[in-house]
């Protein structure tokens, strides 16, 4: 009974924090008109969220190992709600961005800590519990796209944030029902230098691609970001090597299986965020749907995503997470391939998104289980944080590159819309090839686990 | 005898290429140059098919042009682009894409872009630059066709056929014998058909409204 209540709280809070990530997705193609700012400035509504989300993930694992899972979880949900309130009542777009930064920071705590708590709390049934949390997260992602499109169509953008804020308060209340699972606290040592250089490097990466989409590499608005990125990555690595308790424990990457699952998480993250972020606008340009229709059109993907997330937990417990990961990345890649190769646009859209949904829904549980197992005992929080961070980094890298591809569309061409559809085709083919790389990583992990099983049997 | 015949044929070809627009109205090249030079307004319904990456895309739109640099394109088909609008007014270019409810404002001087130039010789024709385009190309005058079927109608007209070649690009242009206006253009790149343009109906030097070319404010 208590287990059910804990699972309900973890799943509920993840459902609500996932909503914060995608609630603004239906607004992306019209940011300039909705907020009265330029498209280039408007896109910071996504950029700042992802930036603080990634920075928060680098911080949260270490913090939860020191302060306790429950306290950090409750605080995260509180910060998330505060961010939504600021975005809703903010007098200017700048305040909306401040709110989005806090939302990202708050949301960053929910999934990795929930997965860690589930891993520590549910014993043999951890896969099932983690699958349920992933499913709830997936439902939140999709529900928000539906809700965001519908609320915006009926009211305005402020209403989108007000409704999410009201729901987040419920999530915050639920978070108090979560137990403390940390057995032994570690001394608190925040690697602020590492986190700040990490965040700045992500910002430089995004700014580089934004600038590159508008002018050439040699332009003064582009190359300093590339140089900055190189310097910041170097500074970050130095910080992490010198700090006793780094935000991202680089020594974990010396373990081949851990490094491989991080590769799979990164590839999966790119695929997941590229597919979800661009699907509604792809429906608009290729099928002629309105904003609201496009939001609702992703529901088939949502359904398969939720079913797969739930089923993969049990599959992972029974057959091992490696087989579940191979299934996930194969299906995701197939979905990308179908959406670009089927000749009839409506079939391509729905069959492709339905198949991809199954792959995306089944991704998180196996990568978290493998990551926490391979990270070693006592490092579950940090390992889970790095896995989630890698997935999120994929979520930054993928859409940034995809956005660059879209920005190259010539809107003065008589065939502008066709060119746009072709650009979406290139984006989905990019996702497919990233999926193939991820599949390679998953296959390595599977072969490794099968060999281990053989050795144990002998 | 053979040499004389060759010389005669070469002379005819050189005359066709190098001496356009010298006032002989029976020549299709001269006729199209003259009508282009005197153009004050052009309105047409156009169907265009693009062949790219193994797939075909077809669009239909009304096209209004007032030389030298005012243009309006209103898309009518297919349904995914119905309502799409492009307006050129001086160096300002505006695109509205209903599929995304998105408006794009561009400065022609800064951003480059196409702004109608994908229509090939038709764009040269409406911008009063037909003579320049012909001068810069290797031109071949084909045999006239008496029964050219106008697309989308049961009508047949008599047309002259010109082929313009520059580097790897070749344009086949069909001109209405009655007024020398282009009625169809096929554009080839290295012998691959990349674009087909068909003029479904048109009016030369008709009336126009200044309001057509007003670019909406941001």
């Amino acid at each position: 009974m208590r287990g059910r209540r804990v699972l309900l709280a973890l799943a509920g809070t993840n459902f609500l924090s996932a909503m914060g990530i995608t609630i603004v997705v239906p607004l992306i193609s019209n940011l300039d008109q909705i907020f009265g700012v330029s498209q280039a400035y408007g896109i910071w509504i996504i950029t700042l969220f992802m930036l603080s989300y990634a920075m928060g993930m680098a911080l949260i694992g270490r913090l939860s190992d020191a302060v306790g899972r429950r306290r950090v979880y409750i605080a995260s949900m509180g910060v998330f709600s505060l961010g939504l309130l600021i975005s809703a009542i903010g007098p200017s777009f700048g305040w909306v961005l401040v709110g989005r930064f806090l939302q990202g920071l708050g949301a960053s705590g929910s999934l990795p800590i929930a997965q860690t708590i589930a891993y520590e709390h549910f014993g043999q049934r951890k896969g099932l519990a983690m699958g349920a949390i992933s499913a709830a997260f997936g439902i939140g992602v999709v529900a928000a796209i539906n809700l965001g499109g519908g609320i915006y169509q009926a009211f305005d953008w402020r209403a989108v944030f007000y409704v999410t804020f009201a729901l987040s308060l419920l999530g915050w209340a639920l978070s108090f029902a979560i137990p403390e699972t940390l057995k032994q606290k570690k001394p608190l040592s925040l690697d602020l230098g590492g986190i700040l250089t990490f965040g700045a490097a992500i910002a430089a990466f995004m700014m580089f691609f934004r600038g590159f989409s508008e002018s050439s590499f040699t332009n003064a608005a582009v190359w300093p970001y590339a140089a900055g990125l190189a310097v910041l990555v170097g500074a970050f690595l130095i910080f992490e090597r010198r700090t006793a308790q780094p935000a991202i424990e680089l020594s974990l990457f010396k373990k081949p299986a851990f490094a491989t699952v991080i590769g799979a998480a990164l590839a999966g993250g790119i695929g997941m965020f590229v597919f979800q972020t661009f699907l509604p606008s792809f429906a608009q340009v290729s099928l002629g749907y309105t904003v609201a229709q496009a939001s609702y059109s992703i529901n088939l993907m949502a359904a398969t995503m939720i079913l797969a997330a739930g089923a993969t937990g049990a599959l992972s417990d029974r057959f091992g997470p490696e087989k579940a990961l191979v299934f996930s990345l194969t299906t995701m890649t197939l979905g990308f391939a179908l959406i670009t190769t089927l000749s009839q646009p409506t079939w391509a859209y729905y069959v492709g998104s339905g198949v991809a949904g199954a792959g995306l829904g089944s991704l998180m549980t196996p990568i978290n289980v493998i990551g926490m197992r391979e990270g070693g005992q006592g490092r579950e929080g940090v390992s889970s944080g790095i896995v989630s961070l890698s997935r999120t980094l994929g979520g930054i890298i993928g859409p940034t590159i995809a956005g660059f591809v879209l920005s190259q569309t010539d809107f003065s061409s008589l065939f502008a819309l066709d060119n746009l559809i072709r650009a979406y085709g290139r984006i989905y083919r990019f996702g497919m090839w990233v999926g193939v790389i991820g599949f390679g990583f998953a296959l390595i992990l599977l072969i490794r686990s099968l060999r281990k099983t053989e050795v144990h049997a002998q | 005898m053979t040499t004389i015949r060759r010389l005669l044929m070469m002379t005819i070809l050189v005359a066709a290429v190098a001496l356009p627009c010298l006032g002989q109205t029976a020549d299709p090249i001269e006729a199209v140059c003259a009508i282009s030079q005197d153009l004050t307004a052009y309105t047409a319904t156009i169907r265009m098919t693009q062949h790219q990456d193994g797939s075909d895309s077809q669009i239909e739109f009304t096209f209004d042009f007032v030389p030298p640099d005012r243009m309006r394109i209103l898309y009518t088909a297919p349904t995914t682009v119905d309502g799409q609008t492009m307006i050129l007014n001086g160096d300002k270019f505006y695109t509205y894409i209903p599929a995304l409810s998105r408006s794009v404002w561009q400065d022609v001087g800064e951003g480059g872009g196409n702004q109608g130039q994908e229509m090939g010789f038709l764009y040269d024709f409406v911008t009063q630059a037909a003579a320049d385009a012909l001068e810069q190309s290797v031109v071949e005058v084909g045999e006239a066709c008496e029964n050219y079927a106008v697309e989308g109608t049961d009508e047949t007209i008599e047309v002259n056929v010109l082929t313009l070649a520059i580097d790897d690009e070749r344009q086949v242009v069909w001109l209405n014998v009655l007024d020398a206006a282009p009625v169809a253009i096929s554009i080839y790149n290295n012998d691959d058909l990349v674009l087909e343009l068909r003029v479904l109906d048109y009016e030369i030097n008709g009336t126009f409204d200044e309001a057509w070319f007003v670019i909406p404010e941001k």
Side-chain angles (χ1 to χ4, degrees):
Chain A
M1 191 63 194
R2 182 170 158 73
R4 271 190 196 171
R5 207 173 64 203
V6 172
L7 187 57
L8 183 72
L10 290 170
T13 45
N14 268 278
F15 166 78
L16 293 161
S17 67
M19 288 185 73
I21 300 173
T22 49
I23 193 84
V24 294
V25 164
L27 315 182
I28 287 176
S29 58
N30 303 82
L31 288 168
D32 44 358
Q33 282 162 31
I34 293 169
F35 294 103
V37 296
S38 70
Q39 188 74 17
Y41 183 35
I43 201 69
W44 279 94
I45 203 166
I46 303 289
T47 309
L48 267 182
F49 183 96
M50 294 308 289
L51 187 63
S52 61
Y53 190 64
M55 286 172 73
M57 279 192 173
L59 176 83
I60 233 86
R62 193 66 75 190
L63 202 62
S64 78
D65 282 347
V67 180
R69 319 274 189 235
R70 187 173 181 270
R71 284 166 73 182
V72 177
Y73 200 80
I74 292 169
S76 296
M77 290 307 296
V79 171
F80 177 63
S81 298
L82 179 68
L84 283 163
L85 181 64
I86 290 173
S87 286
I89 62 172
S92 66
F93 186 66
W95 282 101
V96 174
L97 293 183
V98 170
R100 288 293 290 167
F101 187 85
L102 290 177
Q103 287 161 46
L105 209 57
S108 69
S110 62
L111 191 63
I113 298 180
Q115 296 281 26
T116 311
I117 291 171
Y119 189 86
E120 291 168 341
H121 187 79
F122 288 97
Q124 290 299 311
R125 301 187 73 191
K126 59 180 177 290
L128 199 62
M130 290 165 84
I133 294 165
S134 299
F137 191 88
I139 299 169
V141 162
V142 178
I145 296 177
N146 279 269
L147 199 65
I151 295 172
Y152 173 69
Q153 202 96 334
F155 303 100
D156 61 358
W157 65 267
R158 281 188 196 278
V160 172
F161 287 113
Y162 273 123
V163 171
T164 323
F165 168 67
L167 291 170
S168 77
L169 287 180
L170 180 67
W172 193 36
L174 272 174
S175 68
F176 284 89
I178 286 162
E180 181 55 75
T181 56
L182 182 68
K183 291 191 173 65
Q184 197 177 3
K185 286 184 182 176
K186 289 180 178 169
L188 178 62
S189 163
L190 287 184
D191 171 24
L192 284 177
I195 290 164
L196 289 175
T197 47
F198 175 71
I202 293 172
F205 171 81
M206 292 164 123
M207 293 302 292
F208 166 71
F209 266 95
R210 295 268 146 77
F212 199 37
S213 63
E214 285 162 14
S215 52
S216 66
F217 181 78
T218 50
N219 192 293
V222 181
W223 70 263
Y225 290 113
L229 175 63
V231 170
L232 287 162
V233 168
F236 169 72
L237 292 174
I238 292 168
F239 268 117
E240 297 310 274
R241 280 191 182 153
R242 287 188 179 168
T243 312
Q245 290 198 327
I248 298 172
E249 216 167 288
L250 296 177
S251 62
L252 283 172
F253 288 87
K254 287 178 184 163
K255 300 178 176 189
F258 187 83
T260 311
V261 79
I262 291 302
L266 192 68
I270 290 175
M272 176 179 274
F273 283 87
V274 163
F275 209 99
Q276 289 172 349
T277 309
F278 293 94
L279 198 62
S281 54
F282 182 52
Q284 283 179 254
V285 296
S286 68
L287 305 178
Y289 287 174
T290 63
V291 172
Q293 284 172 330
S295 299
Y296 305 141
S297 74
I298 65 165
N299 285 340
L300 179 65
M301 180 193 76
T304 55
M305 205 170 157
I306 293 154
L307 284 172
T312 311
L315 189 77
S316 176
D317 283 343
R318 188 161 178 192
F319 300 106
E322 285 81 4
K323 283 181 185 163
L325 187 59
V326 168
F327 166 79
S328 166
L329 287 161
T330 308
T331 320
M332 182 187 94
T333 308
L334 184 65
F336 271 112
L338 286 170
I339 211 164
T340 54
T341 52
L342 288 181
S343 57
Q344 216 283 331
T346 310
W347 277 100
Y349 180 80
Y350 284 105
V351 175
S353 61
V355 172
L360 302 177
S362 53
L363 179 71
M364 283 194 277
T365 303
I367 56 169
N368 274 303
V369 172
I370 300 170
M372 281 190 264
R373 188 191 65 204
E374 297 299 332
Q377 217 166 16
R379 286 165 150 180
E380 285 86 356
V382 173
S383 305
S384 170
I386 295 175
V387 169
S388 297
L389 176 65
S390 308
R391 198 176 48 81
T392 307
L393 268 182
I396 292 171
I397 293 167
T400 304
I401 292 173
F404 172 73
V405 172
L406 278 185
S407 73
Q408 301 305 299
T409 306
D410 179 8
F411 283 104
S412 70
S413 166
L414 293 169
F415 292 90
L417 197 68
D418 285 294
N419 294 342
L420 204 55
I421 292 170
R422 282 199 181 87
Y424 275 98
R426 282 194 283 277
I427 288 170
Y428 282 105
R429 275 194 293 279
F430 159 70
M432 183 186 76
W433 287 113
V434 171
V436 169
I437 294 169
F439 169 75
F441 285 125
L443 210 57
I444 292 169
L445 287 166
L446 179 63
I447 292 166
R448 193 178 163 278
S449 80
L450 290 174
R451 277 191 186 158
K452 255 188 173 177
T453 315
E454 275 174 22
V455 171
H456 280 299
Q458 283 168 2
Chain B
M1 188 64 191
T2 317
T3 315
I4 292 169
R5 194 181 294 161
R6 271 187 194 159
L7 275 170
L8 192 66
M9 283 183 71
M10 278 180 71
T11 311
I12 292 167
L13 194 63
V14 167
V17 173
L19 302 172
C21 310
L22 288 181
Q24 293 173 16
T25 48
D27 184 333
I29 295 176
E30 290 174 20
V32 72
C33 288
I35 191 175
S36 166
Q37 191 60 47
D38 297 336
L39 194 94
T40 55
Y42 179 82
T43 293
T45 305
I46 289 170
R47 183 178 291 162
M48 274 176 85
T49 310
Q50 188 185 46
H51 307 277
Q52 197 181 321
D53 302 335
S55 65
D56 298 345
S57 330
Q58 193 172 74
I59 51 172
E60 210 170 294
F61 54 86
T62 61
F63 175 58
D64 303 295
F65 199 93
V66 173
D69 51 15
R70 282 185 294 170
M71 176 181 84
R72 182 182 71 160
I73 293 174
L74 300 174
Y75 289 68
T76 50
T79 48
T80 47
V81 293
D82 188 13
Q84 191 167 318
T85 307
M86 285 180 169
I87 301 173
L88 174 71
N89 195 332
D91 60 352
K92 303 289 177 207
F93 187 73
Y94 167 82
T95 310
Y96 171 68
I97 299 180
L100 290 170
S101 305
R102 185 166 177 195
S103 299
V104 180
W105 286 265
Q106 284 172 294
D107 204 319
V108 176
E110 282 175 12
N114 289 291
Q115 290 95 28
Q117 287 155 24
E118 286 158 301
M119 287 187 265
F121 184 72
L122 183 69
Y123 191 77
D124 298 321
F125 173 76
V126 296
T127 51
Q128 301 175 325
D132 291 341
L134 289 164
E135 224 171 329
Q136 286 159 16
S137 312
V138 176
V139 183
E140 196 180 306
V141 183
E143 275 187 35
C145 167
E146 286 184 3
N147 294 309
Y148 173 83
V150 179
E151 205 163 309
T153 67
D154 300 328
E155 198 186 338
T156 57
I157 57 169
E158 190 179 352
V159 291
N160 284 312
V161 186
L162 299 182
T163 303
L164 289 69
I166 302 181
D167 300 327
D168 296 332
E169 190 189 272
R170 189 162 52 89
Q171 292 189 49
V172 180
V173 181
W174 286 265
L175 302 171
N176 190 341
V177 165
L178 284 180
D179 56 11
V183 290
I185 297 168
S186 291
I187 301 177
Y188 296 82
N189 199 337
N190 284 324
D191 292 333
D192 294 326
L193 179 63
V194 289
L195 202 111
E196 290 176 273
L197 181 150
R198 301 292 177 259
V199 180
L200 306 183
D201 57 63
Y202 65 93
E203 186 185 0
I204 289 172
N205 298 339
T207 54
F208 61 89
D209 188 343
E210 294 287 348
W212 293 352
F213 310 106
V214 174
I215 290 179
E217 286 187 13
K218 281 188 187 180

